[in-house]
Amino acid sequence: MLDTPEAVFEALRENHDRPHGLQRTVTAEELVEAAAPFEKPDTLVTALLELMTAYEFTGEHRKSPVVFARLLKLWDTAPESFSEWEAHQVFWRFKWVTTSLLQVPEMPLATVRGWIDQMRVRYAEAGHGLQPVAAMRYHVAAHTGVDVADAYDLWATRTRTDLSDCEACETRHLAWHQVTAGDDAGALDSWAPVLGGVQSCSEEPQVSQAQALLPLLRLGRADEARSHHLSGYRRVRGNTGTQESVGLHLEFCALSRNEGRGLEILAENRSLFEATGAPLAHLEFLTGVEVLLARLVGDGHGDTPVAGPPGRNWTADGLLAHVRAEADRLAAAFDARNATTAVGDRRRERLSRRPLLDEPLPLGLRASAGRTPAVAPAAPAVDVPGVPEDFVELVREARRMARAGHPGDTRLWTRIADRLADGSAAHDDRLGPEDLLRAELAGQRALTLTLEDRDAEAVAELERSAALYEGIGMPWQALSTRSRALAWVTGGEATENATDGATAPDAEALRAGLDAKVREAERLKAEVPLTGEALGEGEAAGDDPALGRRQHYLTVLYSRTFAAFKEVAQQLPEVSDLALERFEEAARVMRAEAESLSLPHQVAHVRQFVAEVAVRRGDAALAEAELRAGLRDNEAAERPWLSARPRALLAQVLLAGERPAEARELLHQAIADTLRYDDAEFPLAPTYALLGHAASRLGDTGGAVRHLSEAAARFDQEGAADQATDVRLQLADVLARSGQQADAVAVLESVLSDEASAAVGERPLAQARLSLARGLRELEEHLAAAEEFLRLADVVAGWGDGGPVLTLVAAEAATTLALAGRWDAADTAYERALAAHAEAPHPHLITHMMREFARLTMLAREAEGVDAALGHLTRADAVLAAVPEDVEGFAAWYERGEVRHRRARVLAEAERFPEALAEAEAAIATHEEGGEEGEVPRAEAVRIAALIEGALGRHTEAIARLTTAAARCRAAGLPEAAEILDGLRQDYATRARG
C-alpha cells in the first residue's frame, strides 16, 4: 500500500534501481499520483524528479517539460521541500527541458528561446554562472543553422560551472561541432578523453562511439571504428533514449559494406519504429535506417525481407518507401518550425553518402541466420578488365595461362563457359577441334567441383574430359587427366562420395591403376621423345609440343606422388613402412625426372609434399629446408604465382617454432601473391587466421583482431560455419586478453546467438559461455553475467564428467548474483555450489566464493551483515579443514591466510578492532608459511593490521610495523608494495607530529 510517504519513498528507491524502460516509466507515473495527496510536498518533489529522469532516458521528451513545470511551481511555492541535491537538480534540469522542447517540431522556437531566457534569469538570481545558458543557445543555433559560429564562441570560451554538462558530454558536443565543420582529425583529438575511457557518464562513451564511427572510417582508422561499433552498439541497442545512436550504427554498417549486420541491428531494434516521444532523435534513427535500405535497394536487393514496424511483413523496398515518407515529413516539420533548411540539409547530406570502403570491413561478427535474412553480394560486372572480349583471343589466353599454371585462368574458363551457355559466343575452327574445348571445360568443372568437396562428380568430369581427348587423338592429355582422376579418389574418398550405389575401387586397385598410368607414360615417352620437337598425334603447331608432353608426363608422376602422400597423411601419426616407402619412391622418381627435364616448379611440388610429411612427423628442420628450396625453384621457373602455398606452409612451420615475425612476413607475401595473381583456389580464410595468430604472438593486438575478423568473414562466405565459429572464439580470447572486454563480449554474444555455431560442439561453446559470463561481470553487467553462469550450470550438470566444472560455474554464479543484488537467487546458487563441491571438491573456488559473500554481505545487508559475513568465513574454515594435506597444487597457507584477512576486515568494519587486529596478526603469520610466494599477501595483511592499529590510536606501533614490513618488501624485490606501506607510514608519522 502506498498510503504513507515512507511507503512511496521505499517504492521510489526500488524503482530507481530498475533499468530504464517502460516498466520503470509507468511505475514512476503511478508513484507521482500516489505522492500528490500528501500534505507535505517533499515526497511529490522526489517522485517528479524520478519521473522526469525516466522520461529523459527513455526518449519521452514530449512529456518532460510538463513534469518540470509542476516541479518549478513547487520550487517557487515550497522551496523548503527540496533537499540540497534536489535544489541543485532544479537548475540542472532547465537544460533537459530546453533540449526536450527542441526535440518537438510543434514547439515554436520563440517558446524555446523564451525558456532559455527564463533559465538565464533564474541562474543569475541564484548566483550561478551562465555557461550552461550559452550552451543551450549554442544547441539551438546548431539545430537551426543560424549564427552557429558566434553561439559556439560564446559557449566554448566561457568557464565551466557546477551546472555545466559533465565533461564527457561537453567533449562530445565540442567534437561534434568539429565534425560538422569538416575537421574529422581535430574532432577525434578532442574526443580522445571520452573514447579512451578517461571521461565517462551515463551517456558516454556510447553516444560518442556512435558519432565517431564515420570520422574514423574517413580517416582510415578502421580498427578503431570496428572496436567502437562492437562495444558501443551493445550499450544502445533497443534503448528508446539512444535511438539516434542506433541510427548511426545502421549508417556505419551500410557505409562499411556490412549490410547483413545492419539488417540484424534493424531486427534487434524493431521497437524503435514506435518510439516517437523524441521526434528529432526519431528522425535521426529513421535516416540511418534509410541509408541502409537505400544501399540494399540500390544493389538490387529490394525484395529482401527486413524487420520494420510491427504488424506486417516488410521488404527492403517497401520499408524504404515507408521510412522515407515519415522522415521527409518530420524533416519538413522541423524546417518549417525553424524557418531554415538546416535539418533537411543534414538529412540529405547523410543520404548522399556512399560506402567508404571497397570491401566489407570485417567486424568479427556473424549475422544470425535464424533471425536475419542473408544478403547476397552484388553480382560482379560481366566485362571484367583484362578479359579479352574476342572469343578466340579469350580461349587462347586461357590456354596460355593454363599451360603456365597461372591461377588467373580460372576466371577466363568461367567466362568462356558462360558465353557458350548464354549464346554470346560459339566455337571457332581457329581454336582446333570443338571437342578439345569441351575437354578443357570439363577439366575446369572438375576443379570447381573438387573445391566444393564434390569429388565423385569431379572424377566423372575428368573421365568425360579424358574420353574427349582420346576421341581427338591427344593421348598425353587423356593419360594425365585419367591419372588425376585416380589420384583424387585414392584413400577411400570416392567410397565416401559414391552415389547411386556405385562402389569405388579399393586402395590397392587405385595404386595399381596409377602404376599402370606411369607405365603408359613411359611407353608414350619412348614413342615420341619428351625433348624433341616432333609433333605427337593430336598436337597443334605453334606451341612448344615437347614442353607440353613433359608437363603431361610430370602430371602423371605428380598424380602417383599425390596419391602416395595422401595415403601417408591418412595413416599419421603411425605410418606403415610400406606406405612411407611408396611415397618416398614416388617422390624420388618425380623429383629426378623433373630435374632432368628442367622443370624446377615440378621439383618444388615434390618438395612441398616432402615438407608436409615432415611437418606432420615432427621434422621441422627438414620441412623448412625443403620449402625454402621450393621457393627458389619457383623463382627459377619464373612462376611466382606458385609460391603462395609453400610460403603459407613455411609460415606454419615457423609459427610452431616460435618465429612469428618471419611467419607474419611470409603470410603477408602469400596473401599479396594470391590477390596479385587472382588465385581463387588459395585458402585465404585459414591463412588470415594464421596471420592473426602471428600478430597476436608479436603483441600486435590490432593486427590480430583485423586478421582474425577477416578470417571469420571469409569462412562465412565459404559456408564453413564451424571454422568461422572457432576463429571467433580465438578472436574473443585475443580481445579479452588485450583488455578489450566489451569487444570480446560482443563477439561471444554473436557466437552464442548463432545456430550454426552448434557444429563446433557443446564443450567449446560452454567455454565460450564461461568467457562471456566472466566478460559481462568484468563490464559490471552482473545480472546478465549471472544469467549466463546459470545457463552454463544447467548445461554442465548434464555432463557425466562435469562435476568439477559445475562446482566452478555454480560458485561463480553465486558470487555474480550477489554482485547483482539478487540475494535470494545468490543464496540458492551458493548452496548448489556447496552440493557440487561435495561431489567434486574444489576448495579454492568454494572458499573464494565464501570470502566474496562475506565482503558483499557487509556492503549490502547492513544490520545482519556482520553475523552473516562471519558465518560465511566460519564455513570457509570448515571447508579448508576438510582438505587433505597432500592435495597437489593447493596452497592451504594462502587460503587460510585469506580467510583470516577477510575476517579481520569484516571485524574492523564492525568496529570490533581488538578482534580484528588479532585476525590480521593471524593472517600475517599464516602467509609467512608461504615463503617467497607469501610475501605479497603478507604485505597486504600488514597494511590492514596497521590500519586497525591506527583506528585504535596506536600510531607508534603501526609506524614500527610498517617500517619493518616495507624494508622486508624491498629486500624481497617488491618495490610497489614497499611504496604503499611507506605511504601509510608517512601518513601516520605526519599525524603523530601534528
Side-chain angles (χ1 to χ4, degrees), residues 592-623:
E593 291 294 323
E595 288 174 343
S596 69
L597 295 171
S598 300
L599 295 173
H601 68 283
Q602 294 284 12
V603 177
H605 287 320
V606 181
R607 292 186 188 280
Q608 187 169 337
F609 285 136
V610 173
E612 290 200 46
V613 171
V615 166
R616 299 183 192 198
R617 300 186 74 197
D619 192 344
L622 175 59

Side-chain angles (χ1 to χ4, degrees), residues 450-479:
T450 300
L451 295 174
E452 297 172 357
D453 293 326
R454 297 161 64 184
D455 288 350
E457 296 170 74
V459 169
E461 287 294 335
L462 286 173
E463 292 292 352
R464 184 176 298 111
S465 174
L468 288 167
Y469 281 128
E470 283 181 340
I472 57 177
M474 301 184 76
W476 272 114
Q477 286 85 343
L479 179 60

Side-chain angles (χ1 to χ4, degrees), residues 933-957:
E933 294 181 6
E935 289 296 334
V936 172
R938 180 188 183 281
E940 175 60 14
V942 168
R943 187 182 72 86
I944 294 301
L947 286 171
I948 296 169
E949 285 181 316
L952 289 168
R954 297 168 53 180
H955 295 105
T956 301
E957 292 86 342

